[in-house]
Amino acid sequence: MPAEPRPIPPRPIPAGWSRAQRRLHWGMAVLVLLAAALGLYMVGLTLRQILQKVILYQVHKSIGLTVLGMALLQLLLHHRRGAPQEPGLPPWQRAAARAVKAALFLLLLATPLLGYLLAATSPLPVPTLYLGLIPVPHLVGADPLWFSRLQGLHKAAAWAMLALAAGHAMAALHHHRAGRAVLRRMWRG
């Protein structure tokens, strides 16, 4: 008679965020804000400033690809390590926090992917060079119709990500002012 499988013990809930999780969190926050500022600035440049425009687009794309990699790594760390829970939060706030976190991660993945597809479908044959050095192949070809559609989607995803991130930051500040250690744990562990 085969032995019954042992139940998997529940994973312990960590008391705080790991150093790697905290560094990825703040690194992505800085890079997302930088990419947003660059995005707004670079689209306003005229064709007389074409060299500056091309360079800033490459920097913007490199930041997006870096954020994509960091978000994937952060998801892996969350999966392996888990996330701390804030004691004393009502269930609706826990559910809201989980929903915002899931939406932020979805946008941290979708926005750079949409940006990549936008660059790949561009009618202008501009290569994507990660960090200005490493060619990133475009897996799809130029397509003006898709390029036009993806422009709006990329922009909407970026604005939605910034809005959710602002709400996330305001909630963290609210909990900090209420005496909870949410912000302290994300800053120092």
Side-chain angles (χ1 to χ4, degrees):
M1 181 178 258
E4 293 217 11
R6 292 183 186 181
I8 298 172
R11 179 174 47 185
I13 297 171
W17 299 102
S18 71
R19 177 177 286 156
Q21 287 171 309
R22 292 190 322 268
R23 286 184 177 170
L24 284 168
H25 175 272
W26 293 110
M28 283 189 294
V30 167
L31 289 177
V32 163
L33 291 174
L34 181 59
L38 268 176
L40 289 172
Y41 179 72
M42 69 190 192
V43 296
L45 293 175
T46 65
L47 288 180
R48 290 181 186 204
Q49 300 161 301
I50 191 70
L51 181 58
Q52 184 181 6
K53 193 172 184 105
V54 168
I55 291 169
L56 290 179
Y57 267 84
Q58 292 297 342
V59 171
H60 182 80
K61 291 189 276 187
S62 292
I63 291 170
L65 291 171
T66 302
V67 167
L68 176 63
M70 291 171 80
L72 289 169
L73 185 55
Q74 186 74 292
L75 283 171
L76 176 67
L77 286 172
H78 282 352
H79 176 72
R80 294 188 75 202
R81 187 172 190 281
Q85 289 186 359
E86 183 62 35
L89 282 184
W92 73 268
Q93 285 185 1
R94 282 187 207 281
R98 278 193 302 274
V100 167
K101 185 173 158 185
L104 269 172
F105 270 110
L106 177 67
L107 289 167
L108 283 166
L109 298 172
T111 306
L113 287 173
L114 288 167
Y116 166 80
L117 290 171
L118 183 62
T121 59
S122 173
L124 299 174
V126 178
T128 297
L129 299 172
Y130 183 68
L131 303 176
L133 299 170
I134 304 164
V136 177
H138 291 163
L139 300 177
V140 294
D143 186 325
L145 179 61
W146 273 105
F147 178 76
S148 163
R149 290 177 179 165
L150 289 166
Q151 273 184 314
L153 287 172
H154 180 64
K155 187 186 292 187
W159 281 114
M161 181 171 38
L162 289 171
L164 273 177
H168 173 70
M170 288 188 291
L173 288 171
H174 167 76
H175 289 296
H176 180 72
R177 288 185 185 142
R180 294 189 181 99
V182 174
L183 193 55
R184 240 182 342 268
R185 283 195 311 205
M186 184 48 82
W187 190 254
R188 292 189 224 143

